[in-house]
Amino acid sequence: MSRTLGVLRQLLDQALPGHRPAHEDYELVETVPRLPTTSTTDDDEPTLAEAESLGLRRIAAPVPWPTLALSLVEFAERASYYGAGGVFANFVQRPLPPGSTTGAPMKEGDTPGAMGLGLRVSAALTTTFTMLAFSSPLLGGYLADTRWGRFRSIAFGALLAGLAHAASIWAALPVVITSGTSLPPFLLTLVLLGLSAGLIKASIAPIMAGQCPPDRVRYIPSPSSSLPSTSLPPPSVSDVDIEEGGTEGGEWVVESQELTISRVMGLYYASINVGAFVALGSVWAEAKVGFWAAFAIPGAIFCLMPPLLWVVKPRLVPEAEPSSSALTRVWHVLRDRPRDTAEPFRSSLEETERIVPQEEEPVSAHRLGDESEGSEGSEDGWDFADPPSLDDDRGIETPEPLPADPDRDIRQALKACTLFLWFAIYNVAPGLNSATISLAGAMRGTLPNDALDKMNPLAVICAVPVLNWVYQRLEARGIHLGPVRRVVIGFGLTSLSMLYLALIQAAVYATSPCGTLATDCAQKSPLSNLLVAPGPLLQGVSEALAVVSGMQLAYTMSPPGLQSLVTAVFLSMVAASGALVLLLLPLLRDPLLVYPFALTSLAVAAAGYCVHRRYAHLDT
């Protein structure tokens, strides 16, 4: 196996002969800060300061192939997670169908089952699994930043996931199901798979974003030009059109790390949703073959992870050594935090300098000599000082920057965490998915309810590349749609989706033969359940805006020693929103089903407004 992987790595090197690890590529170009600078590596190569003065176009850099490989790792992890977790409920709740030993029903219309422990036990175990999967990233982030490092955390999480899938297949073997001993290996599966999800999710997005090169200036030939992009020398900066940034043979552009990270986070989130789609294979297998096949499919997909990690490891940008120093600084900042914390925070991708305004020295009159009449100077003994000279000690003093705040990056990361708290409200909308499916079930069945459930990931998969294209076009026109503004737009779309579903629920009550008791009515509303589809589709587009941008903020606003932990804080908001969904449970019944959608719409809209008011300055 290792020999095969070695050959695969050699083939990759031959396919990319000029490729080197991303960290080596950093040395080929000048890393340019956002403030003007006079340093340059070549008389013909503009610095970013010159690029900004010329109005050069900002584009995303090509995604490094190690990042693409890591996106496949995330796809394999999510497909295996959703594939196994999607059949947990039936495996626990339902008994074996008559005449079956695998859990698959023997006749049409029966439901797959295995252990037959009932709804309450099934709900308790699946809820525990979900809470563990979305709270364990806090542990995974802590270990990645302070003990193991990101790659080692991912590798250990993959090991736990492999053991979990083996235990799930063991629990689903016909001989184990019929003997009534499936519960112990199934509980082991819940614990190991939940912990592995936390270890992997806390580190995979930061390590993908860490492969993105810094800001750099690059010359791109036009498609009709025979000059390759790596040829030297490119046209002089003096030949660049001030308005367009281009020449007859191509153009100078700025490859922006911020735009590249945004594209990488979109790729990360799309990988998650593609994995959710592939998990439908397990649902089919439990009904047609049995639970052993339903658990074997995600286990087989998981087998992509180890070889991908082995191949990509030598090509990754070296990580900073894990250390607890950043956490210690967080403690000191929280302990000594002043009452007034209104200082604005900026992205860690920007280098800023604050200059204290200096007052000019006033022109003053002074007495020369002694005060007695006839002393040297003017006739009356007074003389006026000349205006201060820049070359004179009496001139304007050179402005000096304020001493840098050594804990500015820590305060910035804490600011990001306060922004993420609003996502607990935002995530209530996906938490009402069961109410959305129930709404569709009360309407005429044009589309299966399970298909409606998959419209959200479908919208995410389609929206991510479209939004990346939109961001590029906006940047080309000088419009910077920063991550906070994208979060606010995402909140707005989710609010609209909840308002739309509230109106559809009201329409169902108005048209159902049972009136406001439509959910359990034997006769359906004449409205088509296709009318529900815009709700999940809007939520999917919203997630492609808000969640992807939230992941970007978690990375760019954190120091290297806290990136995994801050990402874990963002991910844990899904678990926090579960507590808020519990508050809406008394309203999840007829005739009150309009209110959960309406209240969530108002709450998400208010949260979006607060995010805009409190954090819009982060985009400047």
Side-chain angles (χ1 to χ4, degrees):
M1 181 67 178
S2 61
R3 183 177 180 181
T4 303
L5 292 175
V7 172
L8 177 60
R9 182 183 294 174
Q10 293 177 3
L11 290 175
L12 287 173
D13 290 338
Q14 293 173 4
L16 301 171
H19 176 75
R20 282 178 287 181
H23 61 278
E24 294 182 12
D25 192 43
Y26 289 2
E27 301 174 0
L28 301 180
V29 295
E30 178 188 5
T31 300
V32 193
R34 291 194 179 272
L35 286 181
T37 178
T38 58
S39 62
T40 181
T41 57
D42 192 294
D43 293 336
D44 289 332
E45 180 174 324
T47 65
L48 196 63
E50 294 170 322
E52 291 180 350
S53 65
L54 293 172
L56 298 188
R57 187 161 61 97
R58 292 167 59 85
I59 65 172
V63 176
W65 79 262
T67 301
L68 296 174
L70 289 171
S71 70
L72 292 178
V73 171
E74 177 63 8
F75 156 76
E77 190 274 331
R78 288 290 90 186
S80 64
Y81 171 87
Y82 286 119
V87 298
F88 281 171
N90 283 341
F91 186 79
V92 176
Q93 177 183 348
R94 308 286 184 180
L96 269 176
S100 173
T101 59
T102 63
M106 302 299 293
K107 61 180 181 178
E108 195 72 23
D110 286 349
T111 303
M115 290 195 287
L117 298 181
L119 177 61
R120 298 179 67 179
V121 175
S122 172
L125 290 179
T126 55
T127 302
T128 300
F129 171 69
T130 302
M131 296 291 290
L132 178 61
F134 283 99
S135 58
S136 60
L138 293 172
L139 173 63
Y142 170 79
L143 293 174
D145 284 337
T146 63
R147 293 290 185 270
W148 296 345
R150 294 173 195 154
F151 188 86
R152 188 177 298 177
S153 297
I154 293 173
F156 188 72
L159 173 62
L160 293 183
L163 296 175
H165 288 298
S168 68
I169 296 173
W170 176 266
L173 292 176
V175 65
V176 178
I177 293 177
T178 54
S179 66
T181 57
S182 294
L183 185 59
F186 179 77
L187 293 178
L188 182 63
T189 298
L190 291 185
V191 175
L192 292 180
L193 195 59
L195 290 176
S196 71
L199 289 171
I200 295 172
K201 285 182 69 67
S203 296
I204 191 72
I207 205 171
M208 287 175 66
Q211 311 311 306
C212 298
D215 288 358
R216 58 185 180 183
V217 182
R218 180 186 173 201
Y219 179 76
I220 301 179
S222 63
S224 60
S225 174
S226 60
L227 180 68
S229 60
T230 56
S231 297
L232 292 176
S236 172
V237 182
S238 60
D239 297 331
V240 174
D241 188 288
I242 298 297
E243 299 295 330
E244 302 295 335
T247 66
E248 294 182 359
E251 66 171 330
W252 287 97
V253 296
V254 177
E255 288 187 340
S256 167
Q257 187 184 44
E258 179 184 352
L259 292 178
T260 309
I261 291 176
S262 177
R263 174 178 290 182
V264 167
M265 291 304 177
L267 177 64
Y268 161 81
Y269 202 62
S271 301
I272 293 175
N273 287 274
V274 172
F277 256 108
V278 174
L280 288 174
S282 294
V283 178
W284 174 87
E286 71 168 341
K288 301 299 182 181
V289 182
F291 281 103
W292 70 266
F295 287 129
I297 290 175
I301 296 175
F302 160 80
C303 290
L304 291 172
M305 289 183 63
L308 282 171
L309 290 173
W310 187 86
V311 169
V312 80
K313 186 180 185 301
R315 299 292 183 178
L316 295 178
V317 176
E319 298 180 40
E321 287 295 324
S323 171
S324 60
S325 60
L327 275 181
T328 303
R329 292 170 59 205
V330 170
W331 164 249
H332 288 308
V333 168
L334 291 174
R335 184 189 62 185
D336 304 331
R337 187 179 183 181
R339 294 183 180 274
D340 183 12
T341 57
E343 179 185 357
F345 290 77
R346 295 180 181 271
S347 167
S348 63
L349 299 179
E350 298 182 11
E351 295 294 334
T352 59
E353 184 182 52
R354 296 175 56 199
I355 305 297
V356 181
Q358 301 290 329
E359 296 183 357
E360 295 185 2
E361 181 181 339
V363 179
S364 59
H366 56 276
R367 186 72 179 264
L368 297 178
D370 55 30
E371 298 183 1
S372 62
E373 187 177 350
S375 60
E376 295 183 2
S378 64
E379 295 181 356
D380 57 359
W382 289 89
D383 195 5
F384 288 87
D386 293 331
S389 169
L390 294 177
D391 297 326
D392 193 279
D393 290 339
R394 294 173 297 170
I396 302 174
E397 296 181 359
T398 303
E400 296 182 0
L402 283 178
D405 181 3
D407 294 321
R408 177 179 174 276
D409 55 345
I410 301 297
R411 300 180 193 278
Q412 187 169 258
L414 293 174
K415 187 75 169 182
C417 291
T418 62
L419 188 157
F420 298 155
L421 295 177
W422 298 101
F423 275 85
I425 299 174
Y426 172 84
N427 288 325
V428 171
L432 294 178
N433 184 56
S434 60
T436 304
I437 295 177
S438 175
L439 169 60
M443 304 168 72
R444 183 167 52 88
T446 306
L447 199 67
N449 289 355
D450 290 341
L452 287 173
D453 186 35
K454 297 304 178 185
M455 285 191 173
N456 180 286
L458 176 63
V460 173
I461 295 169
C462 295
V464 165
V466 173
L467 288 174
N468 284 332
W469 180 85
V470 170
Y471 301 153
Q472 295 272 37
R473 300 287 78 76
L474 291 176
E475 287 287 343
R477 289 164 174 77
I479 303 173
H480 179 63
L481 189 64
V484 175
R485 290 180 177 86
R486 300 200 295 266
V487 167
V488 173
I489 295 173
F491 275 52
L493 290 179
T494 288
S495 178
L496 287 176
S497 73
M498 290 290 101
L499 178 60
Y500 175 81
L501 292 175
L503 295 175
I504 295 298
Q505 181 68 66
V508 169
Y509 281 159
T511 57
S512 173
C514 299
T516 56
L517 300 178
T519 301
D520 297 323
C521 184
Q523 296 178 329
K524 306 296 184 182
S525 167
L527 299 175
S528 170
N529 62 5
L530 280 175
L531 292 174
V532 178
L537 290 175
L538 274 176
Q539 289 180 35
V541 177
S542 166
E543 290 177 17
L545 283 159
V547 177
V548 170
S549 300
M551 295 294 297
Q552 178 183 345
L553 288 169
Y555 180 81
T556 58
M557 292 186 64
S558 308
L562 287 177
Q563 283 167 345
S564 293
L565 193 55
V566 173
T567 299
V569 171
F570 176 77
L571 296 172
S572 67
M573 291 301 105
V574 176
S577 67
L580 298 179
V581 172
L582 293 177
L583 298 179
L584 296 176
L585 286 181
L587 301 178
L588 293 177
R589 60 182 178 86
D590 287 329
L592 306 175
L593 286 173
V594 173
Y595 295 104
F597 294 122
L599 291 175
T600 303
S601 175
L602 291 174
V604 174
Y609 174 77
C610 293
V611 169
H612 174 70
R613 288 295 303 270
R614 292 178 60 88
Y615 304 99
H617 64 278
L618 295 176
D619 284 342
T620 58

